[in-house]
């Protein structure tokens, strides 16, 4: 099959952002298919393509598949208007590629939701079937974040129409959680063609046996690591509030990543003398070493009820794969996972004192941490092996073309 994979935020493991599309692309190539992946220039991503851009793009072979990289910068630190412009520019460039003909299947991975535009155009003009992957449900997510003040209501309405069209006309819909699958079905997707493929982790990279390292000055601390974005949706003030309760403890918190909130959070931590360190985003192998050297993993989000069934964060599955006991403040799916499998502690969303108490509890009980570590790794091996998840993606792609 000739497959066009559309993911604006693609990165190889050498980057500091998500690598799901990289592993899926590799699996499709290893299954014998010819794949072209079209992406933009996402902050923190490393596409593997080098050389100058010509006429707004450059391309090359990366691990057995062709990557077309458009000269369209995008990142979470950009203002909303700039990001929206990048989304639309990518959609326009990808539409020209998608409608050029010759594709047996298009795989469109959202967010951003605008990736559905080229897939729908190719479906309409060429009859090309497409799979629509939903990593975050839009416009549900910005509405849940009360983002109407930042996104005009007409834009939200247009997003709803685009999401409806993508769900109804796709040959199949891939959702990262059961909650996201329900939103796709509510938007008109055929329930028989909706599959849940969870977020995965590279178990050979993220492992308790990876070469560990720690930031300077933390050798004697109980190290709790949050590795991910620092935006409004992440609710990291709650984590800093918890740190204020932990000044007299052995717990030291590391925030590895960046986002629009990073400068403010750093200034607050310094002013209040909190036991918190900040690290820049790092390549996946380097992050795997940090997690291997840590004692506790953290999953923190803003107290938004809809997050309960929509979230599928890398920081959770990579922490589990590294064998870290996880402390989470997200109800629903994440809380059920760690509760059922005994691999962490859950606290109410937005409750800084409960978060601090959970960290103290684990810091003071090394035997409990060790038992949770073993349970975490076992859960990752059973449910979140990125190779097994990518193999299921290959099966879905081949079935979509047969239909």
């Amino acid at each position: 099959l000739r497959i066009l994979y559309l993911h604006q935020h693609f990165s190889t493991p050498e980057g500091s952002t998500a690598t799901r599309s990289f592993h899926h692309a590799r699996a499709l190539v290893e299954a014998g298919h010819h794949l072209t992946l079209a992406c933009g220039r996402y902050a923190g991503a490393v596409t593997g393509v080098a050389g100058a851009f010509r006429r707004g793009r450059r391309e090359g072979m990366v691990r057995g598949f062709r990557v077309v990289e458009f000269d369209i910068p995008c990142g979470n630190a950009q203002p909303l208007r700039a990001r929206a412009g990048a989304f639309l520019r990518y959609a326009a460039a990808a539409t020209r590629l998608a409608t050029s003909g010759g594709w047996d299947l298009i795989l469109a991975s959202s967010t951003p939701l605008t990736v559905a535009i080229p897939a729908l155009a190719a479906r309409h003009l060429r009859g090309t079937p497409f799979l629509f992957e939903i990593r975050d449900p839009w416009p549900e997510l910005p509405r849940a974040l009360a983002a109407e003040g930042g996104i005009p209501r007409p834009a939200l309405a247009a997003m709803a129409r685009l999401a409806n069209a993508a769900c109804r006309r796709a040959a199949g819909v891939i959702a990262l959680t059961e909650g996201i699958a329900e939103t796709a079905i509510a938007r008109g997707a055929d329930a028989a063609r909706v599959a849940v493929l969870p977020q995965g982790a590279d178990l050979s990279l993220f492992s308790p046996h990876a070469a560990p390292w720690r930031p300077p000055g933390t050798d004697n601390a109980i190290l709790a690591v949050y590795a991910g974005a620092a935006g409004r949706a992440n609710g990291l003030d709650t984590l800093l509030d918890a740190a204020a309760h932990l000044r007299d403890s052995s717990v030291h918190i590391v925030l590895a990543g960046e986002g629009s909130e990073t400068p403010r959070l750093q200034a607050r931590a310094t002013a209040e003398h909190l036991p918190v360190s900040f690290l820049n985003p790092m390549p996946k192998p380097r992050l795997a070493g940090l997690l291997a050297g840590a004692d506790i993993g953290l999953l923190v989000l803003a107290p938004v009820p809809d997050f309960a069934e929509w979230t599928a964060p890398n920081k959770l599955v990579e922490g589990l794969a590294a064998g870290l006991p996880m402390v989470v403040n997200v109800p629903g799916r994440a809380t059920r996972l760690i509760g059922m499998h005994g691999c962490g502690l859950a606290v109410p969303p937005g409750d800084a004192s409960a978060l601090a108490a959970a960290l103290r509890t684990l810091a003071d009980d090394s035997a409990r941490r060790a038992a949770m570590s073993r349970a975490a790794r076992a859960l990752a091996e059973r449910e979140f092996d990125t190779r097994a998840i990518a193999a299921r993606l290959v099966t879905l792609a081949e079935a979509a073309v047969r239909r």
Side-chain angles (χ1 to χ4, degrees), residues 325-353:
M326 298 298 299
V327 174
V328 308
N329 75 343
V330 185
R333 179 177 178 271
T335 289
R336 288 195 302 273
L337 270 174
I338 66 165
M340 289 172 57
H341 300 282
C343 52
L345 298 176
V347 301
D351 191 333
S353 61

Side-chain angles (χ1 to χ4, degrees), residues 5 7 17-24 109-110 133-136 174-178 180 196-203 284 310-318 320-321 333 337 379-380 383-390 392:
Y5 199 148
H7 183 216
T17 188
T19 56
R20 179 180 174 94
S21 55
F22 169 81
H23 293 292
H24 287 183
S109 185
S110 168
E133 180 178 63
I134 308 175
R135 302 188 185 209
D136 296 304
I174 299 168
L176 268 65
T177 71
E178 291 78 4
I180 294 175
V196 177
L197 299 188
Q199 191 67 272
D202 183 345
L203 300 186
K284 291 292 186 179
W310 289 348
T311 54
N314 287 302
K315 60 184 73 67
L316 175 61
V317 294
E318 291 173 352
L320 293 171
R333 179 177 178 271
L337 270 174
L379 174 59
E383 299 190 21
F384 302 118
D385 183 349
T386 194
R387 294 169 300 178
I389 295 165
R392 291 175 59 196

Side-chain angles (χ1 to χ4, degrees), residues 293-317:
D295 301 289
I296 301 168
L298 290 163
L299 169 57
V300 179
L301 283 174
V304 178
D306 294 287
F307 282 166
E309 303 302 337
W310 289 348
T311 54
N314 287 302
K315 60 184 73 67
L316 175 61
V317 294

